Amino acid sequence: MHFRRSLALSVVALLGAVAARRSPEDVEVLLRGGTIIDGTGAPPRVADLAIRGDRIVFLGDASKASLAPKRSIDVRGLVVAPGFIDPHTHTQGDLGSPDKRERANLAYLMQGVTTVITNNDGGGKLEIGKTLDAWTKNGIGTNAALYVPQGSVRGAVLGMSDVAPTAAQLDSMRSLVRRGMEEGAIGMSTGLYYAPGSYSPTEEVIELAKVASRFGGIYDTHMRDESSYTIGLIGAVNETIRIGREAKLPVHISHIKALGTDVWGQSDTVIALMRAARAQGVDITASQYPYDASGTSVGASLLPRWAEVGGRDSLRARIADGPTRARLTKEMELNLKRRGGPASLLISSTRDTSILGRTLDQVAAARHESPIDAALQIVQQGDASVASFNMNEKDIEKFMVQDFIMTCSDGSAGHPRKYGTFPRLLREYVFTKHVLTLPQAIHRSSALTAATLRLPERGTLAVGNFADVIVFDTATVADRATYREPTLLAVGMRYVLVNGTLAIDGGKFTGAMAGRALRRAIVTH
Ligand SMILES: [Zn+2]
């Protein structure tokens, strides 16, 4: 396959060279003299890159070719790389917004991200075809693709009840997954930590993953446990491997981490398990964001899942009932300990501005109540997003250097990762701490992700590929978003081209809505 493709490309190049001798070849954009880091992990080299239509049509020494560019840009001293691909975002709202500025997906474009995946964690709309069509019709700033969200599938059939499905209910769920896959989803996502996905037994998940498998889809998971809540981090990794083995499809662990002191140091075991599974033929990979805080809500981080069975009203009734509240409080205290205590939870997004930017510790002290009572009150008033400081730098770096672990943002309200992930990886882990080389960091943010998600003709700079291309300055590329100011746009991206169109030109958004709705590639097996 690889051989045949390179043979085909050299024939194209040969024909191109013959044509070039006759007359200058029209190209739209020529990037001259940049330092090419092509996404494969190969070392940097200086070369020119030309784009016509939505494709890269030339990569080499333009002085030896005969090119007639409409626009020629001097990019000497700058890095030219494939646009970054983010396998885990929460951009459904942005991309579906009536507001063009939100659909432009600037939070990502300014980081050099040209493709985002969404409907992760098992959540989001089930209407895959309709969503993809709306993106095409209304215009979006980056490319985007969707998962069929398993939590929504279960919710549609079983609501918030903690029961195993009947054969007929399982069939209904299968047909919802099938419909999503037929409409172009790239696979199925789960959020087995969250209700209602948490109520799904492993066997049910396997049955649904088999449907995605038949369509050549992949399985993406926010695992049942990243800590020591239920089956433990190691148990959850084993569950993911089992799903991959029995449903016969690639499995991808989203935002891999060792959450909380109970499991710090378990990165070694997790990596060993993944390596062993890979050696046995299970295609298991993971993504990671370069921050030591996760982003979640007060409820999701502290409430035990039994408290959420039946939905909001049932939760309220449990909180109001003395003995149930006592049991709830006890379990929440344990969960708070897992999270590192009340000073480790920073309220990052909420309607109640009086608690914004404060830790749960500070909120409780100001109200003269216990952290759990304060948390229960927040949950009852509609909940709040938190940045949860729960990771250890050693685990982060051990995961980061694995050649099957790639970059994701998991961007969400109230966490700087939505605006900063990719430049932060470069600034912090390439230029400051030297954990990765620049070609490695670019590889794990582009080609590795494209291969894992089965996105053809993207992720590397190669003739014939879609022209998702970024140009940045290594001296200035940086994230600016912080936990206190999480929506500051990143800096340093000089040019960002999406499908051959300049979306960022000279560091500024051009207004172009050049993104495409990406449908699962047709597979035949
Ligand atoms: Zn998640």
Side-chain angles (χ1 to χ4, degrees):
M1 167 69 192
H2 191 256
F3 171 74
R4 210 186 304 157
R5 184 176 154 73
S6 31
L7 187 70
L9 285 179
S10 31
V11 172
V12 171
L14 192 69
L15 291 175
V18 171
R21 239 173 276 136
R22 288 195 213 116
S23 62
E25 194 184 346
D26 286 331
V27 295
E28 263 122 55
V29 179
L30 176 63
L31 301 173
R32 273 186 298 112
T35 302
I36 304 280
I37 301 183
D38 67 7
T40 64
R45 65 191 165 109
V46 172
D48 309 311
L49 183 148
I51 293 161
R52 184 172 53 237
D54 60 4
R55 304 282 175 159
I56 297 170
V57 293
F58 180 86
L59 190 53
D61 184 351
S63 71
K64 289 185 183 143
S66 177
L67 300 175
K70 267 196 204 126
R71 179 158 174 206
S72 175
I73 306 175
D74 180 357
V75 295
R76 278 175 298 174
L78 303 176
V79 169
V80 179
F84 296 142
I85 300 173
D86 190 336
H88 190 123
T89 75
H90 295 281
T91 49
Q92 306 98 308
D94 308 77
L95 300 173
S97 168
D99 182 349
K100 188 186 162 197
R101 280 196 74 82
E102 283 190 31
R103 290 202 311 280
N105 220 6
L106 265 191
Y108 286 98
L109 274 180
M110 293 298 277
Q111 296 182 63
V113 174
T114 52
T115 299
V116 298
I117 314 302
T118 191
N119 269 6
N120 297 77
D121 293 336
K125 286 190 183 153
L126 288 172
E127 292 80 21
I128 302 300
K130 243 172 98 179
T131 305
L132 293 167
D133 289 344
W135 290 346
T136 303
K137 182 167 164 267
N138 302 326
I140 51 178
T142 61
N143 301 312
L146 286 168
Y147 283 113
V148 181
Q150 182 266 342
S152 305
V153 168
R154 189 175 224 273
V157 176
L158 286 159
M160 288 290 277
S161 59
D162 183 7
V163 293
T166 63
Q169 287 166 334
L170 185 59
D171 257 346
S172 304
M173 289 195 273
R174 280 197 193 100
S175 59
L176 287 174
V177 176
R178 188 183 318 121
R179 198 184 73 195
M181 292 304 299
E182 282 167 354
E183 290 177 1
I186 62 164
M188 181 177 86
S189 77
T190 63
L192 301 183
Y193 172 71
Y194 299 107
S198 59
Y199 307 137
S200 301
T202 310
E203 293 72 18
E204 171 189 323
V205 180
I206 291 170
E207 286 311 306
L208 300 180
K210 281 179 182 170
V211 180
S213 173
R214 278 204 296 278
F215 287 89
I218 79 163
Y219 173 81
D220 171 89
T221 184
H222 178 144
M223 296 193 295
R224 205 176 287 277
D225 199 349
E226 297 175 317
S227 183
S228 56
Y229 282 96
T230 52
I231 59 173
L233 171 61
I234 302 300
V237 172
N238 281 324
E239 182 185 35
T240 307
I241 293 169
R242 181 185 161 199
I243 292 165
R245 183 173 289 135
E246 295 188 21
K248 297 189 175 61
L249 81 176
V251 289
H252 184 76
I253 299 174
S254 271
H255 45 61
I256 197 163
K257 65 173 80 72
L259 191 163
T261 48
D262 283 359
V263 296
W264 280 2
Q266 289 189 3
S267 52
D268 287 329
T269 312
V270 171
I271 292 161
L273 282 170
M274 292 176 76
R275 285 204 176 281
R278 289 170 64 83
Q280 290 164 13
V282 177
D283 182 356
I284 184 168
T285 55
S287 61
Q288 176 196 43
Y289 49 79
Y291 293 88
D292 65 355
S294 62
T296 180
S297 66
V298 173
S301 59
L302 300 182
L303 288 174
R305 291 296 91 90
W306 60 259
E308 296 179 284
V309 172
R312 289 245 146 243
D313 290 344
S314 311
L315 171 63
R316 256 177 239 283
R318 288 184 188 107
I319 294 172
D321 175 60
T324 315
R325 184 182 177 117
R327 185 182 154 210
L328 188 58
T329 301
K330 233 181 178 168
E331 289 194 32
M332 287 176 71
E333 274 165 359
L334 267 178
N335 291 343
L336 185 56
K337 202 171 147 252
R338 285 192 174 94
R339 293 271 168 179
S344 302
L345 292 182
L346 174 73
I347 313 286
S348 57
S349 174
T350 170
R351 269 169 288 169
D352 179 359
T353 50
S354 71
I355 60 171
L356 191 64
R358 301 191 171 195
T359 61
L360 181 59
D361 205 23
Q362 292 167 332
V363 174
R367 292 178 179 176
H368 306 289
E369 55 188 15
S370 76
I372 298 302
D373 286 342
L376 281 173
Q377 213 186 344
I378 292 170
V379 168
Q380 290 190 89
Q381 286 165 350
D383 215 341
S385 302
V386 288
S388 164
F389 292 84
N390 57 48
M391 280 170 258
N392 168 309
E393 192 59 33
K394 271 197 203 128
D395 288 318
I396 293 175
E397 293 182 14
K398 278 183 177 168
F399 284 132
M400 190 175 282
V401 297
Q402 303 307 315
D403 55 11
F404 49 83
I405 298 186
M406 58 215 76
T407 318
C408 75
S409 71
D410 189 13
S412 58
H415 194 298
R417 62 196 182 184
K418 179 172 177 179
Y419 287 75
T421 287
F422 290 81
R424 178 179 161 81
L425 181 78
L426 302 181
R427 183 183 59 74
E428 185 76 10
Y429 291 95
V430 176
F431 305 131
T432 307
K433 292 183 177 164
H434 306 289
V435 175
L436 297 170
T437 65
L438 187 54
Q440 282 173 331
I442 289 174
H443 172 68
R444 77 196 299 286
S445 306
S446 59
L448 179 60
T449 320
T452 302
L453 302 178
R454 301 176 165 183
L455 301 176
E457 300 173 296
R458 297 187 194 272
T460 54
L461 296 182
V463 171
N465 270 3
F466 287 103
D468 293 339
V469 182
I470 63 177
V471 180
F472 64 91
D473 184 348
T474 55
T476 58
V477 69
D479 53 317
R480 291 194 308 144
T482 64
Y483 292 99
R484 309 274 167 189
E485 289 184 283
T487 61
L488 295 177
L489 293 166
V491 293
M493 285 295 149
R494 294 277 187 89
Y495 304 97
V496 175
L497 294 110
V498 180
N499 297 305
T501 298
L502 276 159
I504 304 292
D505 188 346
K508 298 212 167 58
F509 179 49
T510 62
M513 301 292 265
R516 291 187 188 161
L518 304 183
R519 288 173 164 78
R520 178 182 40 79
I522 306 298
V523 288
T524 44
H525 68 69

